[in-house]
Structure formats: C-alpha cells, structure tokens
C-alpha cells in the first residue's frame, strides 16, 4: 500500500506550499494566503470580507490581517456596502489586478510545464482524479481544517 501522507507531503513541497512566499510579481513578494485572497476577490463579484474568508476556510481575524497587509501594498480596496454599512466589500486595485494576473500566468506556465511531461491520457487521468479528490474532500466533515482541527 502506498504511503498516502508521503505522496501528499512530496506534492506539497513540489508545489512550493511551504515556501514563505509563493510568488513574485513585479517588486512584490506574495504569500500563499495573499495569493489565494487576490484570486478569490478577482473571481467573485463584489465579495464581502465574510464571503472570501468563508471560501478560504480562514478565521476572520487572520483573514482581516492579511487583507490589511494587501491594502497597505495598494492591492485591495475595502468599501462599506451601500445597503448594509456593517458589511465591507473587497475589490482589487489596478495594482492588485496586475499582481493577480501575473500570479495566474505564473501558475498556468508552471502547470503547463508539469503537464508537458505527460501524454493526453495521463493528463486527463490526473485532472479527473483531482476533481474526484476535490469532490470527496468537500463531502468530508473535516474539509478545510487540519486533521487536528
């Protein structure tokens, strides 16, 4: 039987998930969580702080700190919702959009290079398997937490 934990440990390292910074865009060093925040803000229409924190499975305090650091870098804007002033809407600044696009291009280049070492059938098998794994993880009662909570 394969050591599943070892397979995931190696994949995590090869993806660079343990690196302090996942990406460089222009003069910016972006952490993995900041990269995820930029990505989620970019793909949602006028998301609230709570929405993005929920999507990422991050507690609101940690998330707010990360949003503050992205605001200081002039990548994210936070504006009160006109219908409910208690809710804040997140959006990307021009700089934030640029950085999100750069990270997206870097990730696509990396993934295309990785998949270039596989034939079409192997690539399709991996993609289908990742979808199956994501679906199974979404059904798990431990989704989005570490095994220890």
């Amino acid at each position: 039987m394969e050591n599943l934990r070892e397979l995931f440990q190696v994949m995590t390292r090869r993806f660079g998930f343990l690196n302090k910074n996942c990406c460089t865009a222009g003069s910016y060093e972006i952490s993995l969580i900041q990269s995820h925040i930029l990505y989620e803000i970019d793909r949602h229409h006028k998301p609230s702080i709570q929405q993005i924190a929920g999507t990422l499975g991050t507690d609101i305090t940690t998330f707010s700190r990360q949003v503050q650091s992205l605001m200081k870098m002039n990548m994210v804007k936070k504006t009160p919702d006109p219908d409910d002033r208690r809710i804040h809407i997140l959006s990307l600044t021009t700089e934030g959009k640029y950085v999100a696009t750069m990270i997206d291009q870097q990730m696509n280049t990396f993934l295309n290079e990785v998949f270039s070492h596989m034939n079409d059938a192997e690539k399709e098998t991996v993609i289908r398997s990742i979808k199956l794994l994501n679906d199974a993880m979404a059904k798990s009662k431990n989704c989005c937490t570490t095994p220890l909570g």
Side-chain angles (χ1 to χ4, degrees), residues 23-30 34-35 38-39 42 70 73-75 92-106:
C23 327
T24 304
S27 61
Y28 297 105
E29 291 284 325
I30 306 297
Q34 289 169 337
S35 163
L38 293 173
Y39 177 80
D42 197 29
L70 288 167
M73 289 188 267
N74 194 33
M75 287 191 217
L92 297 182
T93 63
T94 303
E95 194 74 14
K97 183 73 174 154
Y98 166 77
V99 170
T101 301
M102 292 292 294
I103 293 169
D104 202 39
Q105 288 171 351
Q106 289 171 20

Side-chain angles (χ1 to χ4, degrees), residues 61-75:
T61 306
T62 302
F63 183 78
S64 292
R65 253 193 318 271
Q66 292 298 332
V67 167
Q68 288 298 326
S69 69
L70 288 167
M71 288 171 64
K72 284 180 188 157
M73 289 188 267
N74 194 33
M75 287 191 217

Side-chain angles (χ1 to χ4, degrees), residues 49-62:
I49 288 180
Q50 291 79 0
Q51 271 179 290
I52 301 295
T55 297
L56 295 175
T58 309
D59 74 273
I60 202 76
T61 306
T62 302

Side-chain angles (χ1 to χ4, degrees), residues 83-142:
D83 300 325
D84 185 344
R85 310 285 284 162
R86 296 169 299 168
I87 297 173
H88 284 87
I89 303 299
L90 297 174
S91 59
L92 297 182
T93 63
T94 303
E95 194 74 14
K97 183 73 174 154
Y98 166 77
V99 170
T101 301
M102 292 292 294
I103 293 169
D104 202 39
Q105 288 171 351
Q106 289 171 20
M107 284 304 300
N108 287 330
T109 299
F110 169 69
L111 292 170
N112 287 334
E113 195 275 330
V114 168
F115 281 120
S116 75
H117 301 284
M118 299 178 198
N119 64 39
D120 287 344
E122 291 169 332
K123 180 179 173 180
E124 181 55 39
T125 299
V126 170
I127 291 169
R128 193 172 56 249
S129 298
I130 291 170
K131 287 177 180 175
L132 281 169
L133 182 62
N134 278 337
D135 290 345
M137 289 173 82
K139 293 173 188 169
S140 169
K141 64 182 183 346
N142 295 320

